[in-house]
Amino acid sequence: MKFIGIVGTNSDQSTNRALLQFMSKHFIETAEIEVCEIKDFPAFNEPKDKTAPKGIQELSDKINEADGVIISTPEYDHSIPAALKSLIEWLSYTTRPLIDKPVMIVGASHGSLGSSRAQAHLRQILDAPELKARIMPGSEFLLGHSLQAFDEEGELIYPERVTELEECFEEFCLFVSMTNQLVKDHRFKTEQNRKFTWEQLADGGEK
């Protein structure tokens, strides 16, 4: 399997980046995880031609070609970072690669609660009509006290958290297999979702 791991922050010093890099190494025998940055992307500005900037178009193409997406988000003021929200707005407004794409949400936080509220908010966002991602239900990985969680080689030092992450990732791989088969059997609905507009909804549907 091939997954795209999105570092959900523009911070240069992020334990969410460290978490995805650990996953990329730890699960190398099961899947290829390409860790992608968002820190150089421009803020969303709703261009009239609905064309994505080059970097976002390239990320969108990678998402389209991948079997699934893993988003690692910190928690800022009970929500996701502005940089991650901006990326999602670009994707929903332009290329819409997340429609019917399996998504796993993980998160690391300096505090004790992990990124639980940010993850819950991200789930709500990804269910919007222009996104409609297939989010793995009933499972979330929250890494609290993340500044102390990795050694100098980038290894997650808590065995019980490694076991928990392994179980979540195994579930996600199974979820990806089932979801992609379901989507393959209903490709027409996916294409219809990509054509959704609020103007169409206001007009009472497609004429």
Side-chain angles (χ1 to χ4, degrees):
M1 288 185 175
K2 171 67 183 290
F3 300 141
I4 296 300
I6 297 176
V7 180
T9 176
N10 57 2
S11 171
D12 289 329
Q13 306 294 326
S14 174
T15 52
N16 284 276
R17 181 180 297 106
L19 177 57
L20 284 178
Q21 290 171 341
F22 169 77
M23 292 177 68
S24 179
K25 292 185 297 182
H26 191 73
F27 297 117
I28 189 64
E29 298 298 327
T30 304
E32 177 186 350
I33 302 175
E34 180 180 355
V35 179
C36 297
E37 300 284 351
I38 68 172
K39 58 183 179 180
D40 294 326
F41 292 161
F44 177 66
N45 60 7
E46 198 171 355
K48 291 183 179 180
D49 61 1
K50 293 195 173 185
T51 299
K54 181 181 178 181
I56 291 172
Q57 181 64 59
E58 290 173 351
L59 177 58
S60 176
D61 292 341
K62 290 180 179 181
I63 292 173
N64 273 324
E65 295 169 4
D67 296 299
V69 175
I70 304 169
I71 302 176
S72 187
T73 181
E75 183 171 306
Y76 296 168
D77 300 323
H78 294 186
S79 188
I80 64 174
L84 178 56
K85 183 62 165 59
S86 177
L87 167 66
I88 293 171
E89 288 165 354
W90 273 118
L91 296 178
S92 70
Y93 188 73
T94 58
T95 55
R96 297 185 176 176
L98 289 172
I99 288 179
D100 284 333
K101 186 67 63 173
V103 174
M104 177 183 185
I105 300 173
V106 298
S109 170
H110 298 175
S112 60
L113 297 178
S115 57
S116 58
R117 287 166 293 199
Q119 289 195 32
H121 191 198
L122 183 54
R123 285 176 178 271
Q124 288 183 305
I125 293 169
L126 292 175
D127 196 40
E130 300 92 335
L131 294 162
K132 282 296 179 187
R134 301 276 183 147
I135 311 151
M136 185 171 71
S139 181
E140 58 185 1
F141 182 77
L142 309 169
L143 181 62
H145 300 297
S146 57
L147 285 175
Q148 297 84 37
F150 299 95
D151 63 20
E152 292 181 358
E153 284 73 41
E155 297 295 321
L156 186 56
I157 65 174
Y158 303 125
E160 68 279 3
R161 304 315 308 276
V162 174
T163 299
E164 180 185 348
L165 182 58
E166 289 172 343
E167 292 176 352
C168 288
F169 190 74
E170 183 179 358
E171 288 181 16
F172 181 60
C173 289
L174 179 59
F175 175 72
V176 169
S177 296
M178 297 187 335
T179 299
N180 285 341
Q181 183 59 52
L182 177 65
V183 170
K184 181 180 178 181
D185 294 341
H186 297 83
R187 179 60 61 185
F188 174 76
K189 184 176 180 181
T190 300
E191 294 306 318
Q192 288 297 104
N193 284 336
R194 283 184 174 158
K195 297 175 183 177
F196 170 87
T197 66
W198 287 103
E199 292 83 0
Q200 176 192 108
L201 191 65
D203 291 340
E206 191 173 2
K207 295 182 175 64

